[in-house]
Amino acid sequence: MDSLKLSSFKLECCLFLVLIGVASAQLSPNFYSSSCPNALSTIQSAVQAAVNNESRMGASLLRLHFHDCFVNGCDGSVLLDDTANFTGEKTAIPNNGSLRGFDVIDNIKSQVENICAGVVSCADILAVAARDSVVALGGQNWTVQLGRRDSTTANRSLANANLPAPTLNLDQLISLFSNLGFTTQELVALSGAHTIGQARCTTFRSRIYNETNINSTFATSLQGNCPSNGGDNNISPLDTTTPTSFDNAYFTNLLNLKGLLHSDQELFSSNGTGSTNSTVSNYSSNSTAFFNDFSNAMLKMGNMSVLTGTNGEIRTNCRSVNSASLSSIDTKIIDLITSLFDI
């Protein structure tokens, strides 16, 4: 066999083995231990700096991960910008003018690309940044499973349908989360993410002026920053007790009828008949139970319909898909194999 045929044979064999290995890849906490060992520490440092600069950013990054996973799974689709030929999820009703933190993700991606280009997906960055945001604000740590790849598409209509609106009642919330594979208890645990973050006046105005299952003093205090007309983008904390700490105060607020959003207060009924009342009460008195259930639910959410193996891609820029080239095998892999065999 001459040298050219031998080189071609080696390349074909190696590509075959890579494809077999990649195609069968599963999520693992050690996915980047060899290919990008400093990825997690780089993400953590960037998130900590962003939260130190603005504590609200922790909630924003956590929300980005939620809104990504709830639409076709955790695939980084929420990060894609609209173009002349593409309509993404950023302009869906629940996201438009509401999601934030994209610039932080851009910064993290840039830092990670500098240490290991073309290796770490935007979807994984979102998952790790969400966990690191919770930890930075005093919440539970958990081990993030890694190895997601990025989608090359997005689904605006599904974003409008699958993301929970602040006006939903309990039955609607249970149905929506059930359709995505979550139990009612997991719905309550994940809702505890509202122990941090802020909401716009337009999302809670009707509640503070029209609803009766609300603490009257609480409602009046909010009306000063959210008038009956105007001020749509004025914001108030979802948890007025400890708005920058990831704790269980959100659930205590619900017991006191101080849920900011209609959908929040739906988790606890003052007449004692609500099916989630007991879970809310338990989390209010037992922060350990909440932290454990929240982290387990986040792990489950992070595994939703992920792309692995040869599906999707590793985006160079989280805002746009890569240029069409070798869609199933990254050019870096071929370059690596070529260098290993000196062909």
Side-chain angles (χ1 to χ4, degrees):
M1 183 180 294
D2 60 38
S3 60
L4 180 59
K5 288 182 178 179
L6 179 60
S7 295
S8 177
F9 174 74
K10 286 179 178 179
L11 178 59
E12 289 174 2
C13 288
C14 289
L15 291 179
F16 174 76
L17 292 173
V18 169
L19 282 174
I20 293 299
V22 173
S24 61
Q26 300 295 322
L27 298 186
S28 163
N30 302 314
F31 189 83
Y32 298 114
S33 59
S34 296
S35 60
C36 193
N38 294 321
L40 298 188
S41 60
T42 300
I43 297 171
Q44 182 186 39
S45 295
V47 169
Q48 186 67 62
V51 173
N52 288 345
N53 183 60
E54 181 194 11
S55 58
R56 183 188 175 196
M57 187 54 65
S60 298
L61 295 175
L62 177 59
R63 188 165 179 247
L64 273 180
H65 183 44
F66 267 87
H67 283 226
D68 182 37
C69 294
F70 270 49
V71 183
N72 282 341
C74 310
D75 59 4
S77 58
V78 74
L79 301 174
L80 291 170
D81 283 341
D82 288 357
T83 69
N85 303 311
F86 173 84
T87 302
E89 296 161 19
K90 285 184 177 179
T91 49
I93 293 172
N95 296 335
N96 195 21
S98 173
L99 283 185
R100 53 198 303 276
F102 297 108
D103 55 337
V104 174
I105 297 299
D106 290 340
N107 176 52
I108 295 172
K109 177 63 171 174
S110 177
Q111 290 187 40
V112 172
E113 285 291 301
N114 284 337
I115 60 173
C116 43
V119 174
V120 182
S121 69
C122 300
D124 273 351
I125 288 175
L126 280 180
V128 176
R131 186 274 310 276
D132 291 346
S133 294
V134 170
V135 173
L137 294 173
Q140 173 91 346
N141 197 352
W142 66 90
T143 301
V144 178
Q145 299 293 309
L146 302 166
R148 300 167 190 79
R149 286 169 66 86
D150 299 320
S151 71
T152 56
T153 61
N155 194 323
R156 186 175 187 271
S157 60
L158 195 61
N160 284 325
N162 270 17
L163 294 171
T167 55
L168 295 185
N169 62 36
L170 181 58
D171 287 341
Q172 291 170 321
L173 288 168
I174 291 173
S175 176
L176 188 153
F177 276 73
S178 176
N179 290 339
L180 293 171
F182 293 106
T183 66
T184 300
Q185 181 168 313
E186 288 167 337
L187 153 66
V188 179
L190 289 173
S191 297
H194 283 183
T195 192
I196 54 175
Q198 308 208 30
R200 294 182 298 164
C201 169
T202 186
T203 64
F204 60 85
R205 176 184 286 117
S206 179
R207 169 160 167 73
I208 64 175
Y209 284 98
N210 303 319
E211 296 186 8
T212 57
N213 62 335
I214 186 171
N215 179 289
S216 59
T217 303
F218 175 66
T220 300
S221 69
L222 292 167
Q223 290 170 6
N225 191 45
C226 183
S228 55
N229 291 292
D232 286 358
N233 291 321
N234 293 350
I235 56 175
S236 291
L238 290 158
D239 168 11
T240 56
T241 306
T242 53
T244 60
S245 296
F246 196 96
D247 54 26
N248 62 337
Y250 166 82
F251 299 103
T252 303
N253 292 338
L254 298 185
L255 296 182
N256 295 322
L257 302 184
K258 293 182 178 180
L260 183 66
L261 305 179
H262 174 83
S263 56
D264 287 328
Q265 196 58 57
E266 281 291 294
L267 299 178
F268 185 83
S269 171
S270 59
N271 62 20
T273 62
S275 60
T276 55
N277 274 22
S278 60
T279 305
V280 171
S281 296
N282 180 44
Y283 288 160
S284 172
S285 61
N286 189 340
S287 61
T288 300
F290 164 53
F291 280 175
N292 288 339
D293 288 353
F294 178 81
S295 58
N296 288 333
M298 287 295 293
L299 272 171
K300 180 175 178 177
M301 186 183 78
N303 290 339
M304 290 171 58
S305 302
V306 296
L307 299 174
T308 60
T310 58
N311 295 316
E313 64 181 15
I314 306 298
R315 283 190 223 132
T316 301
N317 181 339
C318 291
R319 293 176 179 266
S320 60
V321 299
N322 297 338
S323 299
S325 62
L326 294 171
S327 59
S328 63
I329 309 173
D330 291 331
T331 305
K332 275 183 61 93
I333 295 177
I334 295 180
D335 291 341
L336 175 61
I337 294 171
T338 301
S339 65
L340 286 174
F341 285 88
D342 192 27
I343 53 179

